[in-house]
Amino acid sequence: MLMIIAIDTGGTKTLLASFSDNGKLLKSFEFKTPKSKQKYIEIIEKIIKKEFSKEIKNGEVKAISCAEPGIIENEIIVWAKNLNWQNFDIKSEISKIFPQPKIFIENDANLAGLFESKKFKNKHQNMLYVTLSTGIGSGIITSGKINQGLKNSEIGRIPIEFDGAIKEWEEIASARAIFNVYGKYASEISNPRQWKKIADRVSRGFLVAIPIIQPDVIVIGGSLGENFEKFDLFLNQLIRENLPEGIFCPEIIKAEKPREAVIYGCYEFAKEQL
């Protein structure tokens, strides 16, 4: 069986999964993302050699598709803030261990956006995918493809005035920031007043990004995206009320797979490249 191995590297956890050639998820494994680049490679090597040694040996693994956080240039992680990784040539490291499969490296939010865009069937020309998780990442998908001119956009790093200070958007609106404020994960928060305040934090970045990107639709994923129904009405109202006159207010929807969009995006990206 031909196979694609997908790796979704997050600031907190990493998910490694295998897909059949027709897109069926076969196996998946999760581990805490280590800060050490060497340890990260060692864990990936250990899992793949243990679980897929036969497939690797028989040449059935056609690609290893890696979704990585932060800024990626020429398939090198130039900088990943939440992991403090700089100039990490992950492609070369994995290729040394597994020389046969093709190795693909792309930003995680770009790949999540690529997967989520498939459901629209070109209905939307310009889609903005935003993951609200450990940090805040974005993928801008134009006509069903990752927008190459904006592929390194770091939407979570938009400077915003909040509580009398200039802060990065992800410092006030990521799932990690919400946990730091309330001492609870998003899934544990039920108070509408708290969700209205969370929606205000989330809206701040969108009010900056929408006039610049002017997306037809915004798709929200990540752990906050999983709880979108708790704050969607607040968020839509805040954005409609505060967007400048003449700026189109896009539809804002929940991701089809808030937590799994990245891993499925790895598969879609590899299929495009093979």
Side-chain angles (χ1 to χ4, degrees):
M1 181 194 303
L2 298 180
M3 183 185 295
I4 291 171
I5 292 176
I7 302 172
D8 167 15
T9 307
T12 303
K13 64 177 180 63
T14 295
L15 178 64
L16 187 152
S18 60
F19 287 86
S20 67
D21 194 44
N22 62 4
K24 181 182 178 182
L25 195 154
L26 303 172
K27 295 181 181 179
S28 64
F29 309 88
E30 187 174 303
F31 59 90
K32 183 178 179 181
T33 308
K35 299 291 186 180
S36 164
K37 293 182 281 188
Q38 181 181 349
K39 184 66 175 176
Y40 168 78
I41 294 294
E42 287 175 356
I43 296 173
I44 289 173
E45 177 183 5
K46 182 179 179 180
I47 293 174
I48 293 177
K49 284 185 173 179
K50 179 181 178 182
E51 300 293 336
F52 308 108
S53 58
K54 180 181 176 182
E55 291 84 354
I56 289 283
K57 183 178 179 180
N58 294 339
E60 295 173 3
V61 177
K62 293 301 179 184
I64 299 176
S65 184
C66 304
E68 304 295 334
I71 297 173
I72 296 171
E73 294 180 0
N74 299 317
E75 298 189 287
I76 294 173
I77 303 172
V78 177
W79 190 58
K81 177 185 176 184
N82 289 314
L83 291 169
N84 197 28
W85 289 352
Q86 295 183 36
N87 300 316
F88 183 11
D89 191 353
I90 179 177
K91 181 174 183 176
S92 293
E93 294 298 321
I94 295 177
S95 294
K96 291 175 187 175
I97 305 165
F98 305 108
Q100 287 184 314
K102 292 187 176 181
I103 313 295
F104 303 118
I105 313 294
E106 183 52 270
N107 172 269
D108 53 357
N110 283 340
L111 294 184
L114 181 68
F115 167 75
E116 291 289 337
S117 72
K118 300 299 179 182
K119 66 187 173 189
F120 297 122
K121 296 180 181 178
N122 296 322
K123 177 183 175 183
H124 294 289
Q125 183 78 5
N126 204 28
M127 187 196 91
L128 171 61
Y129 174 86
V130 175
T131 178
L132 302 171
S133 50
T134 303
I136 297 180
S138 60
I140 300 165
I141 311 299
T142 303
S143 299
K145 302 289 184 182
I146 296 171
N147 187 306
Q148 293 301 303
L150 297 170
K151 69 191 299 289
N152 284 333
S153 62
E154 285 285 288
I155 203 168
R157 309 207 63 214
I158 291 173
I160 292 168
E161 189 279 327
F162 188 77
D163 280 350
I166 301 297
K167 300 180 180 181
E168 293 180 12
W169 187 26
E170 67 178 26
E171 291 177 356
I172 66 167
S174 66
R176 174 185 285 171
I178 300 307
F179 181 84
N180 290 340
V181 172
Y182 296 104
K184 296 179 180 180
Y185 295 106
S187 60
E188 300 169 330
I189 299 174
S190 57
N191 188 320
R193 288 186 179 181
Q194 292 179 339
W195 277 110
K196 189 172 184 179
K197 291 180 179 179
I198 292 169
D200 174 59
R201 290 167 172 261
V202 172
S203 73
R204 303 295 182 101
F206 283 128
L207 289 170
V208 175
I210 289 171
I212 299 169
I213 300 171
Q214 299 205 16
D216 303 312
V217 63
I218 294 174
V219 179
I220 296 182
S223 52
L224 283 187
E226 274 194 310
N227 294 272
F228 186 61
E229 295 86 353
K230 296 179 180 179
F231 69 101
D232 62 332
L233 295 179
F234 297 132
L235 181 63
N236 274 282
Q237 181 180 1
L238 285 164
I239 290 176
R240 284 196 305 270
E241 290 177 352
N242 292 292
L243 271 179
E245 185 178 357
I247 299 296
F248 170 74
C249 183
E251 181 183 12
I252 305 174
I253 64 174
K254 179 180 180 179
E256 182 180 336
K257 294 183 182 293
R259 283 189 181 267
E260 298 176 306
V262 176
I263 205 74
Y264 279 90
C266 288
Y267 165 79
E268 295 288 350
F269 186 64
K271 286 290 288 184
E272 285 186 1
Q273 303 299 312
L274 288 171

